[in-house]
Amino acid sequence: MMQKYLLFLVLLAAPLAARAQVDTVRASTLPGPQRAEKAYNSGLASFGQQRYPAALASFDQAIAARPDFAAAYTNRAATRFELKDYPAALADYDQALKLEPGSYTSYFGRARAHEAQKQLAEAETDYSEALKAKPDYALAWYNRGVLRFEKEDFQAALADFNGAIQADSKLAYAYHDRASTQQKLGNYAAAVLDYTQALTIQPDLLAALLNRAAAARRAGLLPQALKDYDTYLAQKPDNPLAWTNRGSARFESQDYKGAIADFSQALQLNPSYAFAWNNRAAAQLKLEKYADAAADASQAIKLKPDYAEAYLNRGHAREMLRQADEACQDWRKAAALGLRVGNSYAAAAGCTGEEE
């Protein structure tokens, strides 16, 4: 799953109250609107310092002094969001929208509160309302695109990321997620270009580097993929997925020893990584290390009993170890798990028995 990269919070600046003629005037003697603005500005300051309980208290005071203060409701909602009080945040955004219908900031904030509560349809609707009010609101395009990506509506997600980039051509995360969408649609060359643009804008966006390597592999650009994996692993050597993916790229480049080294490193970091065990088994097969291949495939199956590819690889290894019956059983099991080519291997080897 794609994880969301940006969170956005809107704070509406209100005009400062005119300075009182007597600097020592008590707040309680100020007119209501001035008391509200004083408390509101104090809330903004506390929020900016991430002192959320203090900000909440100040916004409470602002609203008590001026019940129709829409910006105070919006920012109290944002504060409650940070405090993870999502129902209260929604109530405040509702009130802000009653006072200021069509406020894109309140729609955007309410969408985030809905999203935090897994109310995804409501969140998508509110992002859409925010865009009706402000069509060039890049972050609303982006957030709605992420929602649509996560529900696998990739064409709609692509359109939204296009909208985000049109509104803000420097939004690195929009390029990154558009690239990921292009990958889902099979447009690997386009994905490589978008990941590259994301890295141009934000060179430290390591996720883009790792994902560009994957897209380059799928586009048949193995040298570029390997270079990206090298660069990524030099900065983040504790990621077993990256070692496994570079191992796969090395396997595809017929560097089987290098692939085994990478899969082994992945397994040092995560011994329960069934995919790495099976991939190492495949590389062992290429080097004719059949006993090692069978052992690795067996470990993959132990971790993931429905792993069809591991049964297939173990079948190959067992055939070469002259364990014909066991090989036939593995190929049939692979076929039963959905990898129908297992039946073809079983038939070619003269396995007896009915296909499963």
Side-chain angles (χ1 to χ4, degrees):
M1 172 185 303
M2 164 127 215
Q3 180 178 354
K4 187 172 293 183
Y5 289 96
L6 284 184
L7 291 179
F8 186 72
L9 190 61
V10 178
L11 291 180
L12 302 177
L16 292 171
R19 182 176 294 277
Q21 294 298 312
V22 180
D23 289 340
T24 57
V25 65
R26 293 180 181 274
S28 60
T29 66
L30 292 172
Q34 287 182 294
R35 288 202 309 274
E37 289 175 0
K38 181 179 177 68
Y40 177 81
N41 289 325
S42 178
L44 292 180
S46 294
F47 190 99
Q49 297 164 3
Q50 299 183 356
R51 295 170 52 236
Y52 301 122
L56 183 62
S58 292
F59 292 133
D60 285 344
Q61 293 170 12
I63 290 167
R66 183 180 156 193
D68 64 346
F69 199 166
Y73 281 104
T74 298
N75 287 289
R76 188 172 72 175
T79 305
R80 286 173 161 168
F81 181 93
E82 294 298 329
L83 293 169
K84 302 188 185 326
D85 187 356
Y86 304 124
L90 282 173
D92 274 348
Y93 282 126
D94 288 344
Q95 184 61 29
L97 285 165
K98 288 179 183 177
L99 294 167
E100 285 188 354
S103 168
Y104 70 90
T105 54
S106 293
Y107 276 121
F108 184 88
R110 192 171 71 176
R112 291 183 62 228
H114 278 307
E115 195 172 351
Q117 296 187 103
K118 308 301 182 185
Q119 298 165 351
L120 303 184
E122 293 85 347
E124 186 173 342
T125 296
D126 275 348
Y127 286 132
S128 298
E129 290 298 323
L131 288 168
K132 287 180 185 177
K134 186 173 174 58
D136 62 347
Y137 196 2
L139 292 174
W141 284 109
Y142 173 78
N143 283 14
R144 191 177 71 176
V146 171
L147 283 181
R148 290 174 166 177
F149 181 96
E150 289 173 348
K151 68 177 184 178
E152 300 186 358
D153 187 355
F154 299 122
Q155 290 292 351
L158 183 64
D160 280 350
F161 295 134
N162 287 340
I165 290 166
Q166 184 175 355
D168 182 358
S169 62
K170 299 298 183 182
L171 189 56
Y173 294 116
Y175 285 103
H176 177 279
D177 288 5
R178 187 172 73 175
S180 296
T181 306
Q182 296 281 22
Q183 282 216 71
K184 290 292 186 180
L185 294 171
N187 303 326
Y188 301 119
V192 169
L193 292 175
D194 271 348
Y195 286 130
T196 300
Q197 185 61 30
L199 286 163
T200 299
I201 297 167
Q202 189 172 332
D204 62 349
L205 189 57
L206 287 182
L209 190 63
L210 186 61
N211 288 333
R212 185 175 69 179
R217 272 182 61 206
R218 291 177 173 88
L221 305 172
L222 285 176
Q224 180 176 339
L226 287 166
K227 182 179 178 181
D228 280 347
Y229 285 130
D230 291 346
T231 303
Y232 179 91
L233 286 166
Q235 299 176 72
K236 195 168 177 57
D238 60 345
N239 186 344
L241 173 64
W243 288 105
T244 300
N245 285 353
R246 191 176 72 174
S248 295
R250 285 178 161 177
F251 185 98
E252 291 163 13
S253 300
Q254 300 183 10
D255 177 9
Y256 303 122
K257 289 183 179 180
I260 288 172
D262 279 352
F263 296 138
S264 297
Q265 183 61 37
L267 290 168
Q268 284 188 23
L269 293 167
N270 182 7
S272 63
Y273 198 174
F275 188 74
W277 284 107
N278 180 63
N279 280 10
R280 193 170 73 173
Q284 304 278 22
L285 282 170
K286 290 293 186 180
L287 294 178
E288 301 182 0
K289 297 181 177 181
Y290 302 121
D292 290 339
D296 281 351
S298 293
Q299 185 61 29
I301 291 166
K302 181 179 178 181
L303 292 166
K304 192 175 186 298
D306 62 347
Y307 201 165
E309 289 83 358
Y311 281 104
L312 192 72
N313 283 333
R314 191 172 69 176
H316 295 331
R318 285 175 163 177
E319 180 189 33
M320 300 308 296
L321 292 168
R322 303 295 188 267
Q323 299 170 359
D325 291 343
E326 291 86 349
C328 289
Q329 291 171 11
D330 279 343
W331 287 326
R332 295 295 194 205
K333 183 65 174 180
L337 290 169
L339 203 58
R340 303 302 296 174
V341 70
N343 282 330
S344 299
Y345 284 112
C351 297
T352 59
E354 296 295 325
E355 292 186 7
E356 296 185 28

